[in-house]
């Protein structure tokens, strides 16, 4: 029996054994998507290295593991979620905590803010506002090759819902803290839906943390709609332990003249795979996609980015950087797609990586696919070491070599961090990166787990 | 103004293919189709030794187990391998001793192509092996070269006269299992060129193979094997044309290059197979495996290609940099016009220490052409201080064409420095205007700009062919600009 | 202060400096002139400790110590400053952070504690005025996106911050317009003290209108072929380098 069918069979069994339980805890709206999605997953399976887009990342060992799966919220962990306090104290934000993918309060699952803004549990929103979800849920997370998106749709129970109606703005960022905590190896899936209406603006910070030293696998899907002339900002800070595998699929759909930015900062994680799909569906849209990862030990970080210029006169910019230490491995898959007739496109993509040891390895695959002619597109990728000329320049000013190397690495990373517009967070991330580079952050921040 | 420019582009890109004539010459063909008997028949026709027949059969059996590759960014119509004739030879009198014995019709054909078979008439300093359909027709300057110990002859003769050399190197760079088309070629290859440069010899003239597909419904499967022994140097050029036909014809060749210690090989291709007509009918399917190995320290292999022809091109001339301090280079200009498709690029595999590679790829898309660069730079764990620089640019002429870039960088050594850059842009309207303002017509301006854009690559060609390539670029873009 | 004896050095196996001897005393300004490719920048690189240059022979003594044995940062802390011909861009590292680190390293070397943030900023402001540098530059990454003139001014600004005993200015005048040249030269002059020295490397005489040298050397083909007072610079300006080349070539 080959690996794929073994894994598929495992999930078939899991699905059929638990579907009743999942559906009971869920809403008719979310349930209406499950069957078809599971059929699609069955067809596609878990991605393997044979797939071009997963060429450099092996998920198999993570999916072959026997996890305790959470299909209904385990309330015994809710207190921990209540007690969790973000240690970025200057960060003024609307806070939401997800525990193992669930909204961990029994009451007040949806909060209403001035201007008609709603934030809270996706499951609850599906119950209360199916007419809003109907227009967006499942409309952007479209992909015919990655089975994991469909697996999420088939089995997901909860996640975060953010609704910012036309012209509104929450005033401060919404911070979502994803906690994973269990005394058993756990597989969890959650789903976020963020709707930013016409002329609205919204900034979302997602922080991933693990609180216990078990083996965790997370498969998360986020769908984001940015309406005409809106502005959306997503900052994701990944800080999980080395026994955790995190797979994210983020779909950002943009209308005319909208602006969207995604920044992913990966500080820790056993295996991290981020799939970010930008689609600019209206003229004059602009998007930025940033990423930074620092990997050591046997960590593996893979960023997959697809920027789809579906309309004319859109601008996009990608900047992804990686620093690889010890025996860590990294990958970058970036694609710019310019549709026929998407004239006036300007698209840039840059991927720079630094290998600190001979055992570290980086594979990068920047791609351009262009079907229109009035375009300015470029990409560049480098794998190498720190700039020797810069090192000498710094030494010639009296800075010792170790310090100079550290500053150069920090500078390398800061080029990504500096794009984060939430000041308190930018400072905090700069600090974390510096600590991480000095080797002082050998485990995830605010984590008491000694997982090595 | 806008409209005018469109028209001019159209005019420039709809130029006619010059080499589309057909030579009516009696041809010795075998029945169409492919099976073990056909493989045996080809081998028998060529009077081959047993070991070579075994090689062919092994390859054929392996081919049967493989599927046609589908990963390239190409739309390839299904190919019926049973409809192809795998061996066709122009009939001529048996002896090739003197030029007088060559069929005058054949001679006229090559004259028309600008490849005279008489040595005295030929471009000075270029030795030619002329191949029509499945066999080598004539190799010039053999004796002059032989005096220096250089072997330059058709592949079939090499099998007869230097079986040990052929056996030692055949399939060592491109094994018969390498890919679908390499397996096919290894089973049915008909002829090609063989070249051996002995130790310490700098080949005094350009060596060249000229390929011509003539007969209908035939495939061309030639094989080139080029060995540069220690401290030697050779510059090699291949050119190719085919008649205009409405049906597609298959060309699946293999080129293997071996460079020993301190040897240098320069391999240049001006590829001008029939690209099909304006509506995408006919044209050659060009599925070629070209690879060189820098076996010895300080050796160097440099590929230069100007690709203007073929309906579909699938081709990745590559370098395996095994020797320490060895160097690989790839310079390419690929033009796709009308309905042409190209998926081409290179692989640079860094194995030895201090190895260097350079990739310069210039794609030009016009009409509805689709042009993809696909390249791999791989630095293995022990390849310390490897350096690579890649520059892949695409130029777009017209709004129906496409330009794509698919680089793969796989780096497993900390001391490597690998840089890839690519840009895609439309031909500069301000540049055209600047030329117009100086009195240059838009059509000429485009010619100038395109040639300027490709110059970095064309400069790498031997002089005589650089001029040819420049003209070819202009012709293949005739009728295309806006 | 600085004593170079029979220095021979090369890059990638090619000999560039073919036996250079030079004495610089405290308080002196030396100009080193010469045609392109004569080895001027290589000499500067050797003094600052660039490791791409291979030392083949000779010695360099600085304040009684063997300079060639010292790491580049130690040379800096001992008071050697190189004004780069092509200042290096360091993306992501801000000027403030860069300079603060350097200044505090120098202070540590002298047994002083680090400057407080406010003292440091005060110092920066003070020195910035000296070279008329735009204060916005301080918040940008080191040299990134600076114009040619800004980069050169930035070199002099750093020199002012670090107060070297021996400043080596490698073609600091190249690519400067006349106003920038005046600013740069003024900066250098105002930093001049009786106990510090400078080596000014230049191709043209015009910088020496502003920074008046005590001694002028002509470097040609890796050797110092002529040494004289400041009037030599004027002679070179008038006659070019050809006559010196001829003189040397005739001797050989």
């Amino acid at each position: 029996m080959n690996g794929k069918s073994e894994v598929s069979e495992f999930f078939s069994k899991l699905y059929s054994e638990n579907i009743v339980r999942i559906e009971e805890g869920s809403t008719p709206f979310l349930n209406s998507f499950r069957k078809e999605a599971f059929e699609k997953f069955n067809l596609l399976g878990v991605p393997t290295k044979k797939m071009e887009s997963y060429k450099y990342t092996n998920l198999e060992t993570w999916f072959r593991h026997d996890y305790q799966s959470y299909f209904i919220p385990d309330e015994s962990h809710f207190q921990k979620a209540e007690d969790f306090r973000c240690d970025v104290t200057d960060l003024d934000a609307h806070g939401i905590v997800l525990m193992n993918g669930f909204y961990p309060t029994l009451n007040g699952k949806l909060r209403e803010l001035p201007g008609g803004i709603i934030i809270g549990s996706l499951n609850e929103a599906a119950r209360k506002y199916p007419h809003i979800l109907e227009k967006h849920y499942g409309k952007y997370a479209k992909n015919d090759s990655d089975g994991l998106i469909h697996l999420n749709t088939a089995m997901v129970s909860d996640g975060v819902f953010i609704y910012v109606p036309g012209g509104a703005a929450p005033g401060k960022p919404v911070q979502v803290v994803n906690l994973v905590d269990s005394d058993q190896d756990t597989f969890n899936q959650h789903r976020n839906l963020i709707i930013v209406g016409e002329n609205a603006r919204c900034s979302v910070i997602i922080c991933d943390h693990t609180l216990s030293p078990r083996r965790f696998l997370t498969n998360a899907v986020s769908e984001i709609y940015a309406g005409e002339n809106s502005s959306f900002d997503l900052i994701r800070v990944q800080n999980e332990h080395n026994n955790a595998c995190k797979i994210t699929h983020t779909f950002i759909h943009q209308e005319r003249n909208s602006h969207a930015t995604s920044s992913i900062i990966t500080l820790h994680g056993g295996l991290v795979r981020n799939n970010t799909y930008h689609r600019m569906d209206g003229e004059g849209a602009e998007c930025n996609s940033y990423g930074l990862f620092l990997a050591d030990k046997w960590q593996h970080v893979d960023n997959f980015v697809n920027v789809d210029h579906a309309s004319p006169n859109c601008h996009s910019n990608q900047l992804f950087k990686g620093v690889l230490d010890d025996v860590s491995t990294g990958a970058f898959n970036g694609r710019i797609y310019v549709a026929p007739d998407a004239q006036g496109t300007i698209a840039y993509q840059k991927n720079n990586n630094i290998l600190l040891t001979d055992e570290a390895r980086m594979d990068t695959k920047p791609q351009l696919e262009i079907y229109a002619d009035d375009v300015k597109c470029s990409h560049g990728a480098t794998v190498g070491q720190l700039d020797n000329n810069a090192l000498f320049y710094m030494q010639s000013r009296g800075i010792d070599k170790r310090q100079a190397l550290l500053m150069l690495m920090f500078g390398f990373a800061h080029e990504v961090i500096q794009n984060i517009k939430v000041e308190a967070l930018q400072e905090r991330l700069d600090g974390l990166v510096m600590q991480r580079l000095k080797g002082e952050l050998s485990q995830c921040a605010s984590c008491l787990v000694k997982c090595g | 103004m806008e409209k005018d420019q469109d028209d001019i582009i159209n005019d420039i890109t709809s130029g006619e293919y010059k080499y589309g004539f057909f030579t009516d010459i009696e041809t010795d063909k075998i029945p169409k189709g492919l099976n073990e008997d056909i493989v045996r028949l080809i081998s028998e026709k060529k009077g081959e030794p047993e070991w070579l027949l075994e090689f062919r059969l092994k390859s054929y059996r392996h081919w049967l187990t493989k599927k046609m590759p589908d990963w390239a960014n190409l739309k390839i119509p299904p190919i019926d391998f049973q409809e192809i004739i795998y061996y066709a030879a122009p009939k001529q009198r048996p002896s090739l001793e003197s030029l007088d014995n060559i069929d005058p019709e054949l001679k006229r054909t090559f004259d028309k192509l600008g490849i005279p078979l008489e040595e005295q008439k030929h471009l000075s300093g270029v030795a030619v092996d002329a191949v029509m359909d499945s066999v080598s027709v004539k190799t010039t300057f053999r004796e002059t070269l032989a005096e220096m110990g250089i072997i330059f002859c058709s592949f079939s003769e090499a099998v007869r006269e230097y079986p040990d050399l052929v056996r030692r190197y055949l399939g060592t760079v491109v094994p018969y299992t390498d890919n679908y088309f390499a397996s096919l070629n290894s089973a049915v290859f008909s002829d090609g060129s063989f070249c051996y440069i002995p130790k310490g010899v700098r080949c005094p003239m350009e060596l060249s193979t000229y390929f011509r597909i003539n007969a209908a419904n035939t495939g061309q499967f030639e094989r080139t094997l080029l060995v540069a022994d220690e401290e030697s140097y050779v510059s090699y050029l291949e050119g190719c044309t085919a008649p205009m036909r409405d049906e597609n014809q298959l060309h699946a060749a293999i080129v293997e290059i071996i460079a020993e210690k301190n040897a240098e090989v320069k391999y240049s291709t001006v590829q001008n197979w029939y690209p099909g007509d304006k509506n995408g009918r006919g044209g050659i399917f060009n599925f070629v495996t070209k690879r060189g190995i820098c076996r010895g320290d300080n050796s160097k292999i440099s590929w230069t290609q100007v690709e203007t022809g073929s309906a579909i091109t699938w081709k990745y001339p590559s370098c395996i940099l095994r020797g320490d301090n060895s160097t690989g280079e790839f310079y390419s200009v690929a033009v796709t016009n009308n309905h042409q498709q190209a998926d081409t690029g290179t692989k640079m595999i860094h194995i030895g220490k201090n190895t260097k590679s350079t990739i310069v790829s210039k794609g030009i898309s016009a009409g509805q052409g689709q042009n993809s660069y696909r390249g791999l730079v791989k630095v293995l764990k022990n390849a310390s201080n490897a350096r690579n620089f890649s520059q892949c640019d695409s130029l777009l002429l017209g709004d129906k064409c496409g330009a794509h870039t698919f680089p793969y960088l796989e780096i497993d050594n900390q001391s490597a420095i690998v840089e890839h850059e690519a840009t895609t842009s439309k031909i500069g309207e301000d540049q055209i205007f600047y030329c117009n303002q100086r009195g240059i017509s838009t059509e000429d301006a485009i010619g100038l700009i395109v040639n300027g854009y490709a110059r970095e690559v064309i400069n790498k060609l031997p002089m005589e062919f650089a001029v040819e390539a420049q003209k070819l670029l202009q012709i293949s873009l005739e009728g295309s600009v806006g | 202060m600085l004593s170079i004896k029979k220095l021979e050095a090369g890059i990638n196996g090619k000999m560039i400096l073919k036996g250079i001897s030079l004495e610089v005393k405290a308080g002196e300004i030396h100009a080193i002139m010469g045609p392109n490719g004569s080895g001027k920048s290589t000499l500067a690189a050797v003094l600052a400790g660039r490791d791409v240059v291979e030392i083949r022979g000779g010695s360099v003594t600085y304040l009684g110590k063997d300079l060639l044995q010292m790491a580049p940062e130690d040379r800096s802390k001992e008071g050697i400053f190189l004004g780069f011909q092509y200042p290096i861009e360091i993306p992501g590292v801000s000027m403030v952070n860069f300079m603060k680190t350097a200044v505090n390293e120098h202070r540590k070397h002298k047994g002083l504690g680090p400057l407080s943030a406010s003292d440091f900023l005060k110092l920066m402001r003070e020195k910035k005025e000296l070279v008329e540098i735009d204060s916005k530059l301080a918040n940008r990454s080191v040299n990134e996106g600076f114009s040619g003139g800004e980069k050169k001014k930035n070199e002099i600004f750093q020199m002012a911050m670090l107060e070297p005993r021996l400043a080596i200015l490698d073609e600091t005048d190249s690519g400067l317009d006349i106003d920038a040249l005046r600013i740069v030269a003024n900066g250098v002059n105002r930093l001049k003290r009786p106990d510090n020295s400078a080596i000014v490397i230049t191709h043209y005489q015009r910088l020496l209108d502003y920074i008046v040298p005590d001694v002028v050397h002509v470097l040609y083909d890796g050797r110092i072929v002529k040494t004289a007072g400041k009037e030599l610079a004027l002679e070179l300006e008038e006659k070019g380098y050809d006559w010196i080349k001829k003189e040397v070539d005739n001797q050989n």
Side-chain angles (χ1 to χ4, degrees), chain B residues 322-339:
Chain B
R322 203 173 77 187
D324 290 348
N325 310 311
S326 58
T327 305
E329 293 177 340
F330 174 76
Y331 296 94
S332 167
V333 175
V335 179
T336 52
N337 194 3
N338 299 320
H339 290 267

Side-chain angles (χ1 to χ4, degrees), chain A residues 131-432:
Chain A
H131 58 285
I132 300 180
L133 269 76
E134 245 164 38
K135 277 189 222 142
H136 300 285
Y137 186 86
K139 294 282 191 292
Y140 315 119
K142 281 192 174 146
N143 181 306
D144 289 332
S145 62
D146 193 335
L148 294 180
I149 296 161
H150 304 290
L151 183 66
N152 179 288
T153 310
M155 296 169 103
V156 75
S157 299
D158 205 355
V160 169
F161 174 74
I162 299 174
Y163 175 67
V164 184
K172 51 188 183 181
V174 178
Q175 185 190 20
V176 179
V177 178
N178 278 325
L179 300 176
V180 187
D181 179 43
S182 174
D183 43 17
Q184 281 171 311
D185 292 359
T186 303
F187 173 46
N188 78 71
Q189 307 198 73
H190 58 270
R191 178 105 172 194
N192 304 323
L193 178 63
I194 301 171
I195 300 157
V196 185
E198 244 179 73
N199 296 310
R201 44 191 63 238
C202 179
S203 181
V204 176
I205 303 163
I206 302 180
C207 306
D208 297 331
H209 291 286
T210 43
L211 298 184
S212 55
R214 301 304 301 210
R215 187 164 176 159
F216 296 128
L217 171 62
T218 305
N219 178 41
V221 173
S222 304
E223 289 182 283
I224 295 143
Y225 171 85
E228 198 173 319
N229 208 25
S230 67
S231 164
F232 174 75
D233 215 344
L234 175 68
I235 303 153
R236 205 183 259 283
V237 182
Q238 300 181 313
N239 209 347
E240 299 195 341
H241 63 54
N242 288 343
N243 237 339
C245 170
K246 178 107 197 170
I247 304 160
T248 70
H249 314 264
T250 306
F251 295 83
I252 304 178
H253 178 98
Q254 288 182 252
E255 296 289 344
R256 255 175 118 79
N257 297 326
S258 60
H259 290 246
T261 299
S262 155
S263 314
I264 308 177
I265 312 298
T266 310
L267 293 167
H268 272 289
L271 184 148
V272 178
R273 160 77 180 211
N274 296 307
N275 301 283
T276 311
Y277 301 84
H278 296 265
R279 182 178 164 92
M280 288 176 281
D281 218 16
E283 219 170 308
E286 214 178 288
C287 86
N288 296 302
S289 202
Y290 303 112
L292 168 70
F293 72 86
L294 307 171
D296 64 5
K297 303 203 177 85
W298 55 91
Q299 296 174 344
H300 176 82
V301 182
D302 180 355
N303 279 302
F304 173 96
V305 189
N306 188 67
V307 173
D308 184 352
H309 282 259
S311 304
N313 300 314
C314 295
H315 295 191
S316 71
N317 182 31
Q318 298 172 47
L319 174 65
F320 280 80
K321 292 192 161 200
V323 178
L324 297 105
D325 201 353
D326 299 337
V327 292
S328 63
T329 50
F332 173 73
N333 276 267
R335 179 163 169 262
I336 294 171
Y337 174 86
V338 179
D341 303 325
Q343 304 295 1
T345 291
I346 299 179
Y348 300 113
Q349 179 189 66
K350 211 166 115 182
N351 174 238
N352 304 118
N353 306 284
I354 292 180
L355 298 179
L356 297 176
T357 70
D358 261 343
E359 282 72 38
R361 180 191 162 98
M362 182 71 201
D363 296 311
T364 170
K365 224 175 73 183
Q367 310 196 333
L368 303 175
E369 245 181 277
I370 296 162
Y371 295 92
D373 73 327
D374 187 6
V375 300
K376 275 202 190 82
C377 299
S378 76
H379 69 191
T382 60
V383 180
Q385 311 94 55
L386 294 164
D387 180 2
N388 262 325
N389 290 321
L391 182 63
F392 174 69
Y393 189 71
M394 297 179 91
Q395 282 180 284
S396 82
R397 297 295 178 254
I399 301 170
D400 77 57
K401 197 172 170 181
R402 204 190 140 265
Q403 175 78 3
L405 284 171
L406 203 60
M407 285 175 78
L408 282 176
M409 268 195 279
F410 177 78
F412 179 81
H414 183 71
E415 280 202 292
V416 176
I417 308 270
Q418 69 187 3
N419 296 301
I420 289 173
K421 301 296 178 223
V422 182
E423 207 177 311
L425 193 62
Q426 192 192 106
E427 272 169 35
R428 166 72 172 166
L429 285 172
D430 270 343
L432 284 176

